[in-house]
Amino acid sequence: MAVSVLAHWAGGSIFDIEPAALAGRGIRLLLADLDNTLVPYGVPEPTDAVRDWSAALAEHGVTLFVLSNNRHPARPERFARALGVPFIGHAGKPKPGSFFRAMEQMGCKPDETAIVGDQIFTDILGGRNAGIYTLLVEPIRLAGNPGRYLRYAVEWPFRALTKRRTQTL
């Protein structure tokens, strides 16, 4: 059986995700891609806006958990520790193993878990493979790597379809 690459919800950024709406859906664990989802590539620590959003999630009973494919272990570790949240680096998305490890670590089931990310073929496909609710955001910044332009160009039709059929959070 084929797994959909369309996200359940699409928005402009993480700040379009209302913590109360997630909690209202029964979400207790929000897995989040790091680079170009929470902050631009290379930003070592969370911004004040990300800190405030993470605190708002916690106030609604939703734990933020950084799930990053970054191959440099110090990057997601430094970011997550500065934010005070758990993390898995070099996650191997879209394979579902790291999604299941995060859920097990936090004591959550798939129907209590969501992922937010900026990439269809890692974050969204991985979330779909793990059976969790998927939230697609626009990449924060494409500059700096020609490969990113190509990747996002390939994703464009799927983004457009997702936006057309997206549900309210």
Side-chain angles (χ1 to χ4, degrees), residues 34-35 38-39 42-47 50-51 66-68 70-90:
L34 174 55
D35 292 313
L38 294 176
V39 293
V43 173
E45 295 198 359
T47 63
V50 170
R51 290 177 190 278
V66 175
L67 190 68
S68 174
N70 196 299
R71 288 178 173 82
H72 304 285
R75 164 107 173 99
E77 181 177 6
R78 177 179 177 181
F79 186 92
R81 289 198 192 288
L83 194 54
V85 300
F87 74 97
I88 293 176
H90 200 39

Side-chain angles (χ1 to χ4, degrees), residues 68-147:
S68 174
N69 272 358
N70 196 299
R71 288 178 173 82
H72 304 285
R75 164 107 173 99
E77 181 177 6
R78 177 179 177 181
F79 186 92
R81 289 198 192 288
L83 194 54
V85 300
F87 74 97
I88 293 176
H90 200 39
K93 298 175 287 184
K95 295 176 190 168
S98 60
F99 292 80
F100 292 126
R101 280 195 310 278
M103 287 186 273
E104 182 179 335
Q105 183 178 331
M106 302 310 296
C108 291
K109 297 178 275 185
D111 64 348
E112 300 170 312
T113 307
I115 183 160
V116 58
D118 68 304
Q119 293 185 49
I120 299 266
F121 298 115
T122 55
D123 307 312
I124 303 308
L125 181 57
R128 289 292 202 149
N129 282 335
I132 66 176
Y133 192 72
T134 55
L135 306 133
L136 178 67
V137 295
E138 294 297 319
I140 296 172
R141 184 173 58 215
L142 291 178
N145 182 332

